[in-house]
Amino acid sequence: GPSPVKVTVTGAAGQIGYALLFRIASGAMLGPDTPVRLSLLEITPALKAAEGTAMELDDCAFPLLAGIDITDDARSAFDGTSVALLVGARPRTAGMERGDLLEANGGIFKPQGEAINAGAADDVRILVVGNPANTNALIARTHAPDVPADRWTAMMRLDHNRALTQVARRLDAPVADITRMTVWGNHSATQYPDVSNARVAGTPVRDRVDQEWLESTFIPTVAKRGAAIIDARGASSAASAANAAIDHVHDWVLGTRDGDWVSAGIVSDGSYGIPEGLVAGFPVTSSGGSFQVVQGLEIDDFSRRRIDASVAELADEQAAIRSLGLI
Ligand code: NDP
């Protein structure tokens, strides 16, 4: 059969890692015909826990799982890798300033970018999940000058999936009937879930929801969903974040559905007035293994303001990492 694809997961012993690895190994991410070799990167104190997860992976006897390597060395973790899921990050803790958070993450994502640049496979595709995901992707990418810009992505897919479900509920429609959703900007409270072009069973969603619901219910519900999950579960979302990472890579590698698109944080080429080089959420399709921005969408005044506000936050984060010398 085909030779195994090396998939690297950082923060592999964490909550998202625990929900992610079993689905990768089962074939949910790269399809039922592609064997995978998992490479787990962890910080030294978490290596033992990563070994425990690897023992459970062994005990699943997944037919597609060709092997598991565990390391705290980024160079070896990313050597020859084709899919890199950067999940481990420094969480914001009480009293931490943004500069401290960015600096701590610079210490993680700069060496990881360098290691990817040094040794990843020519076809490497990277998804950054660890927050602040868009800006962490920008840091890593800056230190990987040989990796093409279109291989770097940040996760907007959980926001996208949350938005699909909120619209489906509101319209009492099956979630599979909702298409052409877009989440623009930063994966943060300023994100802009946009139904302007969304459809329900092929007809415009916009004809069936009013601006008041969009502004006072839909957008805040999607943007604050992470906090609502923490409040309910007493822990942050992990399975849904892992699911979104699976969806993102699946669609990137295997293609998006005809007539539909998804949201992904990609390196802006300047489309829709979003400054070139920022990693921002866009509507994208994928075919042949690369994302393309959906072009030609009309942006009304409300959408323009919301996109600009979230992009301004990304530009601020870019300025902050620049002044910290991280890029
Ligand atoms: P999780 O697995 O729950 O989360 C990991 C990262 O994903 C966090 O930055 C988190 O951001 C982010 N994230 C993105 N979207 C979501 C979402 N929708 N819901 C929740 N989280 C989201 O964290 P754990 O603390 O359980 O595990 C992290 C692991 O990473 C630890 O095992 C740690 O040792 C490891 N680590 C590894 C590093 C490395 O390999 N070099 C470096 C740093 C950490 P947020 O904080 O905003 O919730």
Side-chain angles (χ1 to χ4, degrees):
S3 53
V5 173
K6 179 163 172 176
V7 176
T8 304
V9 177
T10 77
Q15 296 304 309
I16 294 174
Y18 192 73
L20 183 59
L21 292 165
F22 296 86
R23 296 193 59 205
I24 299 171
S26 76
M29 187 173 81
L30 296 176
D33 303 318
T34 306
V36 294
R37 179 166 196 96
L38 283 170
S39 167
L40 315 187
L41 179 66
E42 258 300 352
I43 54 174
T44 314
L47 284 174
K48 184 156 181 254
E51 274 158 26
T53 303
M55 289 162 69
E56 284 202 73
L57 284 160
D58 286 341
D59 294 349
C60 295
F62 287 117
L64 290 173
L65 184 55
I68 310 171
D69 304 301
I70 306 166
T71 181
D72 57 3
D73 175 54
R75 292 277 168 147
S76 90
F78 292 114
D79 188 47
T81 204
S82 291
V83 179
L85 302 171
L86 310 191
V87 178
R90 176 68 167 79
R92 188 188 288 268
T93 41
M96 199 173 188
E97 299 294 329
R98 183 176 72 170
D100 301 333
L101 179 74
L102 292 172
E103 187 131 49
N105 280 301
I108 295 165
F109 287 88
K110 177 174 186 262
Q112 291 186 0
E114 290 167 346
I116 288 168
N117 199 57
D122 286 344
D123 67 351
V124 67
R125 291 181 180 79
I126 303 118
L127 169 62
V128 179
V129 174
N131 283 313
N134 304 57
T135 295
N136 287 339
L138 183 54
I139 294 171
R141 173 172 122 66
T142 304
H143 299 283
D146 303 331
V147 179
D150 68 351
R151 307 301 181 74
W152 291 93
T153 63
M155 195 163 85
M156 301 298 289
R157 187 61 177 266
L158 181 55
D159 309 300
H160 178 96
N161 288 345
R162 287 167 170 167
L164 290 176
T165 296
Q166 293 304 316
V167 168
R169 288 276 166 81
R170 177 69 177 183
L171 301 182
D172 199 19
V175 74
D177 282 2
I178 314 296
T179 57
R180 304 192 180 191
M181 180 65 70
T182 304
V183 184
W184 300 91
N186 199 2
H187 168 70
S188 75
T190 68
Q191 66 178 259
Y192 173 45
D194 176 14
V195 304
S196 305
N197 299 283
R199 296 184 179 181
V200 49
T203 67
V205 165
R206 200 61 190 78
D207 293 351
R208 294 182 52 191
V209 296
D210 56 41
Q211 189 66 19
E212 158 66 16
W213 179 75
L214 290 175
E215 288 187 41
S216 45
T217 304
F218 171 70
I219 295 171
T221 299
V222 174
K224 294 180 192 159
R225 185 71 169 177
I229 303 277
I230 293 173
D231 193 47
R233 280 186 86 224
S236 58
S237 39
S240 54
N243 178 70
I246 296 279
D247 284 351
H248 176 110
V249 175
H250 177 276
D251 290 355
W252 191 0
V253 173
L254 299 169
T256 44
R257 290 186 297 172
D258 275 350
D260 197 4
W261 65 65
V262 296
S263 305
I266 61 167
V267 179
S268 177
D269 66 357
S271 293
Y272 295 103
I274 297 174
E276 201 177 333
L278 291 179
V279 179
F282 279 93
V284 293
T285 55
S286 179
S287 62
S290 63
F291 282 132
Q292 282 94 34
V293 175
V294 176
Q295 296 292 351
L297 301 178
E298 237 176 82
I299 308 292
D300 66 14
D301 290 347
F302 176 75
S303 293
R304 188 75 261 167
R305 283 198 302 278
R306 298 299 298 237
I307 293 169
D308 288 350
S310 194
V311 168
E313 183 184 47
L314 287 170
D316 274 1
E317 291 179 12
Q318 181 188 43
I321 58 176
R322 201 173 268 147
S323 69
L324 289 164
L326 299 174
I327 59 170

